[in-house]
Short mmCIF file of all heavy atoms in Angstrom, two decimals:
data_model
loop_
_atom_site.label_atom_id
_atom_site.label_comp_id
_atom_site.label_asym_id
_atom_site.label_seq_id
_atom_site.Cartn_x
_atom_site.Cartn_y
_atom_site.Cartn_z
N LYS H 2 0.66 2.10 -0.95
CA LYS H 2 1.42 3.35 -1.07
C LYS H 2 0.84 4.39 -0.12
O LYS H 2 -0.33 4.68 -0.17
CB LYS H 2 1.34 3.85 -2.51
CG LYS H 2 2.14 5.08 -2.76
CD LYS H 2 2.08 5.42 -4.24
CE LYS H 2 2.75 6.73 -4.50
NZ LYS H 2 2.70 7.11 -5.90
N ASN H 3 1.68 4.91 0.76
CA ASN H 3 1.25 5.93 1.70
C ASN H 3 2.34 6.99 1.77
O ASN H 3 3.21 6.93 2.62
CB ASN H 3 0.96 5.33 3.08
CG ASN H 3 0.38 6.34 4.03
OD1 ASN H 3 0.25 7.52 3.70
ND2 ASN H 3 0.04 5.92 5.21
N GLU H 4 2.28 7.94 0.87
CA GLU H 4 3.31 8.97 0.77
C GLU H 4 3.42 9.85 2.01
O GLU H 4 4.42 10.53 2.21
CB GLU H 4 3.08 9.82 -0.47
CG GLU H 4 3.26 9.03 -1.73
CD GLU H 4 2.98 9.84 -2.97
OE1 GLU H 4 2.74 11.06 -2.88
OE2 GLU H 4 3.00 9.25 -4.06
N ASN H 5 2.40 9.86 2.85
CA ASN H 5 2.43 10.67 4.07
C ASN H 5 3.14 9.96 5.22
O ASN H 5 3.31 10.52 6.29
CB ASN H 5 1.01 11.07 4.49
CG ASN H 5 0.39 12.01 3.49
OD1 ASN H 5 1.05 12.85 2.92
ND2 ASN H 5 -0.90 11.86 3.27
N ASN H 6 3.53 8.73 5.01
CA ASN H 6 4.18 7.93 6.04
C ASN H 6 5.69 8.12 5.94
O ASN H 6 6.28 7.95 4.87
CB ASN H 6 3.80 6.46 5.82
CG ASN H 6 4.39 5.54 6.84
OD1 ASN H 6 5.60 5.43 6.97
ND2 ASN H 6 3.52 4.84 7.55
N TRP H 7 6.36 8.44 7.05
CA TRP H 7 7.79 8.71 7.02
C TRP H 7 8.59 7.48 6.60
O TRP H 7 9.63 7.59 5.94
CB TRP H 7 8.28 9.25 8.37
CG TRP H 7 8.22 8.27 9.51
CD1 TRP H 7 7.17 8.07 10.36
CD2 TRP H 7 9.25 7.37 9.92
NE1 TRP H 7 7.49 7.09 11.28
CE2 TRP H 7 8.77 6.64 11.03
CE3 TRP H 7 10.53 7.11 9.47
CZ2 TRP H 7 9.52 5.67 11.68
CZ3 TRP H 7 11.27 6.13 10.12
CH2 TRP H 7 10.77 5.44 11.20
N LYS H 8 8.09 6.30 6.95
CA LYS H 8 8.79 5.08 6.54
C LYS H 8 8.75 4.92 5.03
O LYS H 8 9.73 4.54 4.40
CB LYS H 8 8.18 3.86 7.23
CG LYS H 8 8.46 3.81 8.71
CD LYS H 8 7.83 2.57 9.33
CE LYS H 8 8.05 2.57 10.83
NZ LYS H 8 7.44 1.41 11.48
N TRP H 9 7.61 5.21 4.43
CA TRP H 9 7.49 5.15 2.97
C TRP H 9 8.45 6.14 2.33
O TRP H 9 9.11 5.83 1.34
CB TRP H 9 6.05 5.44 2.53
CG TRP H 9 5.87 5.28 1.05
CD1 TRP H 9 5.47 4.16 0.40
CD2 TRP H 9 6.12 6.27 0.04
NE1 TRP H 9 5.44 4.38 -0.96
CE2 TRP H 9 5.84 5.67 -1.20
CE3 TRP H 9 6.56 7.58 0.06
CZ2 TRP H 9 5.99 6.34 -2.41
CZ3 TRP H 9 6.71 8.26 -1.15
CH2 TRP H 9 6.42 7.64 -2.36
N GLN H 10 8.53 7.35 2.89
CA GLN H 10 9.43 8.36 2.36
C GLN H 10 10.88 7.88 2.36
O GLN H 10 11.59 8.02 1.38
CB GLN H 10 9.31 9.67 3.15
CG GLN H 10 8.03 10.43 2.91
CD GLN H 10 7.96 11.05 1.53
OE1 GLN H 10 8.96 11.53 1.00
NE2 GLN H 10 6.77 11.04 0.95
N LEU H 11 11.33 7.30 3.46
CA LEU H 11 12.70 6.80 3.55
C LEU H 11 12.94 5.62 2.62
O LEU H 11 14.00 5.53 1.98
CB LEU H 11 13.05 6.43 4.98
CG LEU H 11 13.21 7.60 5.94
CD1 LEU H 11 13.54 7.08 7.34
CD2 LEU H 11 14.29 8.56 5.47
N GLU H 12 11.99 4.73 2.53
CA GLU H 12 12.13 3.57 1.66
C GLU H 12 12.16 3.95 0.18
O GLU H 12 12.72 3.23 -0.63
CB GLU H 12 11.00 2.57 1.91
CG GLU H 12 11.09 1.88 3.25
CD GLU H 12 9.84 1.08 3.60
OE1 GLU H 12 8.87 1.07 2.82
OE2 GLU H 12 9.84 0.48 4.69
N ASN H 13 11.57 5.07 -0.17
CA ASN H 13 11.46 5.50 -1.56
C ASN H 13 12.29 6.74 -1.86
O ASN H 13 12.01 7.47 -2.81
CB ASN H 13 9.99 5.74 -1.91
CG ASN H 13 9.21 4.46 -1.91
OD1 ASN H 13 9.25 3.71 -2.88
ND2 ASN H 13 8.54 4.16 -0.81
N ARG H 14 13.31 6.98 -1.05
CA ARG H 14 14.12 8.18 -1.25
C ARG H 14 14.82 8.15 -2.61
O ARG H 14 15.12 7.09 -3.15
CB ARG H 14 15.09 8.38 -0.11
CG ARG H 14 16.11 7.32 0.07
CD ARG H 14 16.84 7.54 1.40
NE ARG H 14 17.83 6.50 1.60
CZ ARG H 14 17.60 5.34 2.18
NH1 ARG H 14 16.39 5.05 2.62
NH2 ARG H 14 18.56 4.45 2.32
N ILE H 15 15.07 9.32 -3.11
CA ILE H 15 15.69 9.52 -4.42
C ILE H 15 17.20 9.46 -4.23
O ILE H 15 17.75 10.19 -3.40
CB ILE H 15 15.26 10.88 -4.99
CG1 ILE H 15 13.74 10.90 -5.16
CG2 ILE H 15 15.98 11.19 -6.28
CD1 ILE H 15 13.15 12.27 -5.21
N GLN H 16 17.87 8.60 -5.02
CA GLN H 16 19.30 8.42 -4.87
C GLN H 16 20.04 8.44 -6.20
O GLN H 16 21.24 8.17 -6.24
CB GLN H 16 19.58 7.09 -4.16
CG GLN H 16 18.99 7.04 -2.77
CD GLN H 16 19.20 5.71 -2.09
OE1 GLN H 16 19.02 4.65 -2.71
NE2 GLN H 16 19.60 5.75 -0.84
N THR H 17 19.33 8.76 -7.28
CA THR H 17 19.98 8.83 -8.60
C THR H 17 19.56 10.10 -9.31
O THR H 17 18.49 10.66 -9.05
CB THR H 17 19.59 7.63 -9.49
OG1 THR H 17 18.18 7.71 -9.78
CG2 THR H 17 19.91 6.30 -8.83
N ILE H 18 20.41 10.55 -10.20
CA ILE H 18 20.10 11.75 -10.99
C ILE H 18 18.85 11.50 -11.84
O ILE H 18 17.99 12.37 -11.97
CB ILE H 18 21.29 12.16 -11.87
CG1 ILE H 18 22.42 12.67 -10.98
CG2 ILE H 18 20.89 13.21 -12.89
CD1 ILE H 18 23.70 12.99 -11.72
N GLY H 19 18.76 10.32 -12.42
CA GLY H 19 17.60 10.00 -13.24
C GLY H 19 16.30 10.15 -12.49
O GLY H 19 15.32 10.70 -13.00
N ARG H 20 16.27 9.66 -11.29
CA ARG H 20 15.05 9.78 -10.47
C ARG H 20 14.81 11.22 -10.05
O ARG H 20 13.67 11.68 -10.01
CB ARG H 20 15.18 8.85 -9.26
CG ARG H 20 13.98 8.86 -8.37
CD ARG H 20 13.15 7.60 -8.46
NE ARG H 20 11.93 7.80 -7.70
CZ ARG H 20 11.82 7.62 -6.39
NH1 ARG H 20 12.84 7.18 -5.69
NH2 ARG H 20 10.68 7.84 -5.77
N LEU H 21 15.88 11.95 -9.74
CA LEU H 21 15.73 13.35 -9.36
C LEU H 21 15.13 14.16 -10.50
O LEU H 21 14.34 15.08 -10.28
CB LEU H 21 17.08 13.93 -8.93
CG LEU H 21 17.07 15.36 -8.39
CD1 LEU H 21 16.15 15.50 -7.19
CD2 LEU H 21 18.49 15.79 -8.05
N LYS H 22 15.47 13.78 -11.73
CA LYS H 22 14.95 14.49 -12.90
C LYS H 22 13.44 14.33 -13.07
O LYS H 22 12.82 15.06 -13.82
CB LYS H 22 15.68 14.03 -14.17
CG LYS H 22 17.08 14.57 -14.26
CD LYS H 22 17.76 14.12 -15.54
CE LYS H 22 19.14 14.73 -15.66
NZ LYS H 22 19.83 14.30 -16.89
N GLU H 23 12.86 13.39 -12.35
CA GLU H 23 11.40 13.26 -12.36
C GLU H 23 10.74 14.42 -11.61
O GLU H 23 9.57 14.71 -11.79
CB GLU H 23 10.97 11.95 -11.72
CG GLU H 23 11.41 10.71 -12.48
CD GLU H 23 11.07 9.43 -11.75
OE1 GLU H 23 10.21 9.45 -10.84
OE2 GLU H 23 11.68 8.40 -12.09
N TYR H 24 11.53 15.09 -10.77
CA TYR H 24 11.01 16.17 -9.92
C TYR H 24 11.47 17.55 -10.36
O TYR H 24 10.75 18.51 -10.18
CB TYR H 24 11.44 15.94 -8.46
CG TYR H 24 10.77 14.76 -7.83
CD1 TYR H 24 11.28 13.48 -7.98
CD2 TYR H 24 9.61 14.91 -7.09
CE1 TYR H 24 10.66 12.38 -7.41
CE2 TYR H 24 8.98 13.83 -6.52
CZ TYR H 24 9.50 12.56 -6.69
OH TYR H 24 8.88 11.48 -6.13
N VAL H 25 12.69 17.65 -10.90
CA VAL H 25 13.23 18.95 -11.30
C VAL H 25 13.96 18.85 -12.64
O VAL H 25 14.47 17.79 -12.99
CB VAL H 25 14.21 19.54 -10.24
CG1 VAL H 25 13.50 19.84 -8.95
CG2 VAL H 25 15.38 18.62 -10.00
N GLU H 26 13.96 19.96 -13.36
CA GLU H 26 14.70 20.06 -14.61
C GLU H 26 16.12 20.50 -14.24
O GLU H 26 16.35 21.68 -13.99
CB GLU H 26 14.05 21.09 -15.54
CG GLU H 26 12.63 20.77 -15.95
CD GLU H 26 12.56 19.63 -16.95
OE1 GLU H 26 13.50 19.48 -17.75
OE2 GLU H 26 11.56 18.91 -16.93
N LEU H 27 17.05 19.55 -14.17
CA LEU H 27 18.41 19.87 -13.78
C LEU H 27 19.16 20.57 -14.91
O LEU H 27 19.02 20.19 -16.08
CB LEU H 27 19.17 18.60 -13.40
CG LEU H 27 18.69 17.86 -12.16
CD1 LEU H 27 19.46 16.56 -12.01
CD2 LEU H 27 18.87 18.72 -10.92
N THR H 28 19.94 21.56 -14.54
CA THR H 28 20.82 22.18 -15.54
C THR H 28 22.00 21.23 -15.75
O THR H 28 22.25 20.31 -14.96
CB THR H 28 21.35 23.54 -15.05
OG1 THR H 28 22.19 23.32 -13.90
CG2 THR H 28 20.22 24.51 -14.72
N GLU H 29 22.74 21.44 -16.82
CA GLU H 29 23.91 20.61 -17.09
C GLU H 29 24.92 20.74 -15.95
O GLU H 29 25.51 19.76 -15.51
CB GLU H 29 24.55 21.02 -18.42
CG GLU H 29 25.64 20.10 -18.86
CD GLU H 29 26.14 20.43 -20.25
OE1 GLU H 29 25.33 20.81 -21.11
OE2 GLU H 29 27.36 20.29 -20.46
N GLU H 30 25.08 21.96 -15.44
CA GLU H 30 26.02 22.20 -14.34
C GLU H 30 25.59 21.44 -13.08
O GLU H 30 26.41 20.84 -12.39
CB GLU H 30 26.13 23.69 -14.04
CG GLU H 30 27.11 24.00 -12.94
CD GLU H 30 27.20 25.48 -12.61
OE1 GLU H 30 26.50 26.30 -13.24
OE2 GLU H 30 27.98 25.82 -11.71
N GLU H 31 24.30 21.47 -12.78
CA GLU H 31 23.80 20.75 -11.60
C GLU H 31 24.07 19.25 -11.73
O GLU H 31 24.54 18.61 -10.79
CB GLU H 31 22.30 20.98 -11.41
CG GLU H 31 21.94 22.34 -10.88
CD GLU H 31 20.44 22.55 -10.85
OE1 GLU H 31 19.75 22.27 -11.86
OE2 GLU H 31 19.95 23.00 -9.80
N SER H 32 23.78 18.70 -12.89
CA SER H 32 24.02 17.28 -13.12
C SER H 32 25.49 16.93 -12.94
O SER H 32 25.83 15.92 -12.31
CB SER H 32 23.56 16.88 -14.53
OG SER H 32 22.17 16.96 -14.65
N GLU H 33 26.37 17.76 -13.49
CA GLU H 33 27.81 17.51 -13.37
C GLU H 33 28.26 17.58 -11.91
O GLU H 33 29.06 16.75 -11.46
CB GLU H 33 28.59 18.51 -14.21
CG GLU H 33 28.45 18.29 -15.69
CD GLU H 33 29.06 19.42 -16.53
OE1 GLU H 33 29.65 20.37 -15.96
OE2 GLU H 33 28.93 19.34 -17.76
N ARG H 34 27.75 18.54 -11.17
CA ARG H 34 28.13 18.68 -9.76
C ARG H 34 27.63 17.50 -8.92
O ARG H 34 28.32 17.02 -8.04
CB ARG H 34 27.63 19.99 -9.20
CG ARG H 34 28.40 21.17 -9.73
CD ARG H 34 27.92 22.45 -9.12
NE ARG H 34 28.74 23.56 -9.58
CZ ARG H 34 28.70 24.77 -9.07
NH1 ARG H 34 27.87 25.04 -8.08
NH2 ARG H 34 29.47 25.72 -9.53
N ILE H 35 26.42 17.06 -9.20
CA ILE H 35 25.88 15.92 -8.46
C ILE H 35 26.70 14.67 -8.78
O ILE H 35 27.06 13.92 -7.87
CB ILE H 35 24.39 15.69 -8.80
CG1 ILE H 35 23.54 16.85 -8.27
CG2 ILE H 35 23.90 14.37 -8.22
CD1 ILE H 35 22.11 16.86 -8.77
N GLU H 36 27.03 14.46 -10.05
CA GLU H 36 27.84 13.30 -10.42
C GLU H 36 29.21 13.36 -9.74
O GLU H 36 29.71 12.34 -9.24
CB GLU H 36 27.99 13.22 -11.93
CG GLU H 36 26.78 12.64 -12.60
CD GLU H 36 27.03 12.27 -14.04
OE1 GLU H 36 28.13 11.80 -14.36
OE2 GLU H 36 26.10 12.47 -14.84
N SER H 37 29.81 14.53 -9.71
CA SER H 37 31.12 14.68 -9.08
C SER H 37 31.04 14.38 -7.59
O SER H 37 31.87 13.63 -7.05
CB SER H 37 31.63 16.11 -9.30
OG SER H 37 32.85 16.30 -8.62
N ALA H 38 30.05 14.92 -6.92
CA ALA H 38 29.89 14.68 -5.48
C ALA H 38 29.55 13.23 -5.20
O ALA H 38 29.98 12.67 -4.19
CB ALA H 38 28.82 15.60 -4.91
N SER H 39 28.78 12.60 -6.10
CA SER H 39 28.37 11.21 -5.91
C SER H 39 29.55 10.25 -5.90
O SER H 39 29.45 9.16 -5.34
CB SER H 39 27.39 10.79 -7.01
OG SER H 39 26.20 11.50 -6.90
N SER H 40 30.65 10.65 -6.51
CA SER H 40 31.82 9.77 -6.52
C SER H 40 32.49 9.73 -5.15
O SER H 40 33.26 8.82 -4.86
CB SER H 40 32.81 10.22 -7.59
OG SER H 40 33.37 11.47 -7.25
N ARG H 41 32.17 10.70 -4.29
CA ARG H 41 32.77 10.76 -2.96
C ARG H 41 31.77 10.62 -1.82
O ARG H 41 32.13 10.21 -0.73
CB ARG H 41 33.53 12.08 -2.79
CG ARG H 41 34.74 12.17 -3.70
CD ARG H 41 35.44 13.48 -3.54
NE ARG H 41 34.59 14.49 -4.19
CZ ARG H 41 34.68 15.78 -4.00
NH1 ARG H 41 35.57 16.26 -3.17
NH2 ARG H 41 33.89 16.61 -4.62
N PHE H 42 30.53 10.99 -2.05
CA PHE H 42 29.53 11.01 -0.99
C PHE H 42 28.24 10.32 -1.43
O PHE H 42 27.86 10.42 -2.58
CB PHE H 42 29.17 12.45 -0.60
CG PHE H 42 30.34 13.29 -0.21
CD1 PHE H 42 30.88 14.21 -1.09
CD2 PHE H 42 30.91 13.15 1.05
CE1 PHE H 42 31.96 15.00 -0.73
CE2 PHE H 42 31.99 13.93 1.42
CZ PHE H 42 32.51 14.86 0.53
N LYS H 43 27.58 9.67 -0.47
CA LYS H 43 26.23 9.16 -0.72
C LYS H 43 25.26 10.32 -0.50
O LYS H 43 25.49 11.15 0.37
CB LYS H 43 25.89 8.03 0.23
CG LYS H 43 26.57 6.75 -0.09
CD LYS H 43 25.99 5.64 0.75
CE LYS H 43 25.82 4.47 -0.18
NZ LYS H 43 24.92 3.48 0.33
N TRP H 44 24.20 10.35 -1.26
CA TRP H 44 23.20 11.39 -1.08
C TRP H 44 21.82 10.78 -1.31
O TRP H 44 21.67 9.78 -1.98
CB TRP H 44 23.43 12.57 -2.04
CG TRP H 44 23.27 12.21 -3.47
CD1 TRP H 44 24.23 11.69 -4.30
CD2 TRP H 44 22.09 12.30 -4.27
NE1 TRP H 44 23.72 11.46 -5.54
CE2 TRP H 44 22.40 11.83 -5.56
CE3 TRP H 44 20.79 12.73 -4.02
CZ2 TRP H 44 21.46 11.78 -6.59
CZ3 TRP H 44 19.87 12.69 -5.04
CH2 TRP H 44 20.22 12.22 -6.32
N SER H 45 20.82 11.42 -0.74
CA SER H 45 19.44 11.03 -1.00
C SER H 45 18.52 12.18 -0.62
O SER H 45 18.88 13.03 0.19
CB SER H 45 19.06 9.76 -0.23
OG SER H 45 19.07 9.99 1.15
N VAL H 46 17.35 12.18 -1.23
CA VAL H 46 16.33 13.20 -0.97
C VAL H 46 14.99 12.46 -0.92
O VAL H 46 14.71 11.62 -1.78
CB VAL H 46 16.30 14.25 -2.10
CG1 VAL H 46 15.22 15.28 -1.87
CG2 VAL H 46 17.64 14.91 -2.28
N THR H 47 14.18 12.78 0.05
CA THR H 47 12.86 12.14 0.09
C THR H 47 11.97 12.72 -1.00
O THR H 47 12.15 13.87 -1.42
CB THR H 47 12.17 12.35 1.46
OG1 THR H 47 11.96 13.74 1.67
CG2 THR H 47 12.98 11.73 2.59
N PRO H 48 11.02 11.94 -1.49
CA PRO H 48 10.09 12.45 -2.49
C PRO H 48 9.35 13.70 -2.01
O PRO H 48 9.10 14.63 -2.79
CB PRO H 48 9.12 11.29 -2.72
CG PRO H 48 9.92 10.08 -2.39
CD PRO H 48 10.81 10.50 -1.26
N TYR H 49 9.02 13.74 -0.72
CA TYR H 49 8.34 14.93 -0.18
C TYR H 49 9.21 16.17 -0.36
O TYR H 49 8.75 17.20 -0.85
CB TYR H 49 8.00 14.73 1.29
CG TYR H 49 7.47 15.99 1.94
CD1 TYR H 49 6.15 16.38 1.75
CD2 TYR H 49 8.30 16.83 2.67
CE1 TYR H 49 5.66 17.55 2.31
CE2 TYR H 49 7.83 17.99 3.22
CZ TYR H 49 6.51 18.36 3.04
OH TYR H 49 6.04 19.54 3.58
N TYR H 50 10.48 16.05 0.04
CA TYR H 50 11.39 17.20 -0.04
C TYR H 50 11.62 17.59 -1.50
O TYR H 50 11.63 18.78 -1.82
CB TYR H 50 12.71 16.85 0.66
CG TYR H 50 13.52 18.06 1.04
CD1 TYR H 50 13.12 18.88 2.09
CD2 TYR H 50 14.68 18.39 0.35
CE1 TYR H 50 13.86 19.98 2.45
CE2 TYR H 50 15.43 19.51 0.71
CZ TYR H 50 15.01 20.29 1.75
OH TYR H 50 15.74 21.39 2.11
N ALA H 51 11.78 16.62 -2.37
CA ALA H 51 11.96 16.91 -3.79
C ALA H 51 10.74 17.63 -4.36
O ALA H 51 10.86 18.50 -5.22
CB ALA H 51 12.25 15.64 -4.57
N GLY H 52 9.57 17.26 -3.85
CA GLY H 52 8.33 17.90 -4.30
C GLY H 52 8.21 19.36 -3.89
O GLY H 52 7.43 20.11 -4.47
N LEU H 53 8.98 19.77 -2.90
CA LEU H 53 8.97 21.17 -2.47
C LEU H 53 9.84 22.05 -3.36
O LEU H 53 9.72 23.27 -3.35
CB LEU H 53 9.47 21.28 -1.02
CG LEU H 53 8.63 20.60 0.05
CD1 LEU H 53 9.33 20.72 1.40
CD2 LEU H 53 7.25 21.22 0.12
N MET H 54 10.72 21.43 -4.13
CA MET H 54 11.64 22.19 -4.99
C MET H 54 10.89 22.78 -6.18
O MET H 54 9.97 22.17 -6.71
CB MET H 54 12.74 21.27 -5.53
CG MET H 54 13.62 20.67 -4.50
SD MET H 54 14.77 19.55 -5.31
CE MET H 54 15.35 18.62 -3.90
N ASP H 55 11.31 23.97 -6.60
CA ASP H 55 10.77 24.56 -7.81
C ASP H 55 11.36 23.80 -8.99
O ASP H 55 12.58 23.75 -9.17
CB ASP H 55 11.16 26.04 -7.90
CG ASP H 55 10.52 26.75 -9.07
OD1 ASP H 55 10.62 26.23 -10.21
OD2 ASP H 55 9.93 27.82 -8.87
N ARG H 56 10.52 23.19 -9.78
CA ARG H 56 10.95 22.33 -10.88
C ARG H 56 11.86 23.03 -11.88
O ARG H 56 12.78 22.42 -12.43
CB ARG H 56 9.72 21.78 -11.60
CG ARG H 56 10.04 20.85 -12.74
CD ARG H 56 8.78 20.20 -13.30
NE ARG H 56 9.11 19.16 -14.22
CZ ARG H 56 9.45 17.92 -13.88
NH1 ARG H 56 9.49 17.58 -12.63
NH2 ARG H 56 9.73 17.02 -14.80
N TYR H 57 11.64 24.30 -12.13
CA TYR H 57 12.36 25.00 -13.20
C TYR H 57 13.38 26.03 -12.73
O TYR H 57 14.12 26.56 -13.54
CB TYR H 57 11.35 25.68 -14.14
CG TYR H 57 10.36 24.70 -14.71
CD1 TYR H 57 9.06 24.63 -14.24
CD2 TYR H 57 10.74 23.81 -15.70
CE1 TYR H 57 8.15 23.73 -14.75
CE2 TYR H 57 9.84 22.89 -16.22
CZ TYR H 57 8.55 22.86 -15.74
OH TYR H 57 7.66 21.93 -16.25
N ASP H 58 13.41 26.33 -11.45
CA ASP H 58 14.29 27.40 -10.94
C ASP H 58 15.53 26.83 -10.25
O ASP H 58 15.45 26.37 -9.11
CB ASP H 58 13.52 28.29 -9.96
CG ASP H 58 14.33 29.46 -9.45
OD1 ASP H 58 15.47 29.68 -9.93
OD2 ASP H 58 13.83 30.16 -8.55
N PRO H 59 16.70 26.89 -10.91
CA PRO H 59 17.91 26.38 -10.27
C PRO H 59 18.34 27.20 -9.05
O PRO H 59 19.18 26.78 -8.27
CB PRO H 59 18.97 26.44 -11.36
CG PRO H 59 18.39 27.17 -12.50
CD PRO H 59 16.92 27.33 -12.26
N ASN H 60 17.74 28.38 -8.86
CA ASN H 60 18.05 29.21 -7.71
C ASN H 60 17.07 29.02 -6.55
O ASN H 60 17.13 29.75 -5.56
CB ASN H 60 18.10 30.68 -8.11
CG ASN H 60 19.27 30.95 -9.01
OD1 ASN H 60 20.41 30.56 -8.71
ND2 ASN H 60 19.03 31.60 -10.15
N CYS H 61 16.20 28.04 -6.66
CA CYS H 61 15.25 27.73 -5.58
C CYS H 61 16.06 27.37 -4.33
O CYS H 61 16.92 26.49 -4.37
CB CYS H 61 14.37 26.55 -6.00
SG CYS H 61 13.38 25.86 -4.67
N PRO H 62 15.79 28.03 -3.20
CA PRO H 62 16.56 27.76 -1.98
C PRO H 62 16.50 26.30 -1.52
O PRO H 62 17.51 25.75 -1.09
CB PRO H 62 15.92 28.69 -0.94
CG PRO H 62 15.25 29.76 -1.73
CD PRO H 62 14.83 29.11 -3.01
N ILE H 63 15.35 25.68 -1.63
CA ILE H 63 15.23 24.28 -1.21
C ILE H 63 16.06 23.39 -2.13
O ILE H 63 16.77 22.49 -1.69
CB ILE H 63 13.75 23.84 -1.19
CG1 ILE H 63 13.00 24.64 -0.13
CG2 ILE H 63 13.63 22.34 -0.93
CD1 ILE H 63 11.50 24.46 -0.16
N ARG H 64 15.98 23.66 -3.38
CA ARG H 64 16.75 22.91 -4.38
C ARG H 64 18.25 23.06 -4.14
O ARG H 64 19.00 22.10 -4.22
CB ARG H 64 16.35 23.43 -5.76
CG ARG H 64 16.96 22.69 -6.90
CD ARG H 64 16.24 23.15 -8.16
NE ARG H 64 16.96 22.85 -9.35
CZ ARG H 64 16.44 22.89 -10.55
NH1 ARG H 64 15.19 23.26 -10.71
NH2 ARG H 64 17.15 22.60 -11.60
N LYS H 65 18.70 24.26 -3.82
CA LYS H 65 20.12 24.49 -3.56
C LYS H 65 20.59 23.73 -2.33
O LYS H 65 21.73 23.27 -2.29
CB LYS H 65 20.41 25.98 -3.41
CG LYS H 65 20.41 26.71 -4.72
CD LYS H 65 20.88 28.12 -4.54
CE LYS H 65 21.20 28.71 -5.88
NZ LYS H 65 22.05 29.88 -5.78
N GLN H 66 19.75 23.61 -1.33
CA GLN H 66 20.13 22.86 -0.13
C GLN H 66 20.31 21.38 -0.42
O GLN H 66 21.18 20.73 0.15
CB GLN H 66 19.08 23.03 0.96
CG GLN H 66 19.04 24.40 1.56
CD GLN H 66 17.96 24.49 2.61
OE1 GLN H 66 17.93 23.68 3.53
NE2 GLN H 66 17.08 25.46 2.47
#
Side-chain angles (χ1 to χ4, degrees):
K2 183 176 174 181
N3 186 356
E4 294 178 5
N5 293 324
N6 182 298
W7 67 271
K8 290 180 184 179
W9 184 92
Q10 288 289 323
L11 289 179
E12 290 170 359
N13 292 279
R14 64 190 179 272
I15 299 158
Q16 299 176 316
T17 65
I18 291 175
R20 181 107 187 276
L21 185 58
K22 286 181 177 180
E23 295 175 19
Y24 291 85
V25 295
E26 299 287 329
L27 294 174
T28 65
E29 188 173 323
E30 182 181 0
E31 285 174 312
S32 292
E33 290 171 3
R34 288 182 176 191
I35 293 169
E36 281 193 37
S37 176
S39 294
S40 68
R41 293 178 287 163
F42 304 102
K43 286 190 137 198
W44 65 274
S45 66
V46 178
T47 62
Y49 172 79
Y50 200 72
L53 296 176
M54 297 177 196
D55 186 309
R56 181 172 190 82
Y57 303 104
D58 183 7
N60 292 311
C61 169
I63 296 171
R64 185 169 162 165
K65 284 188 166 199
Q66 290 179 53

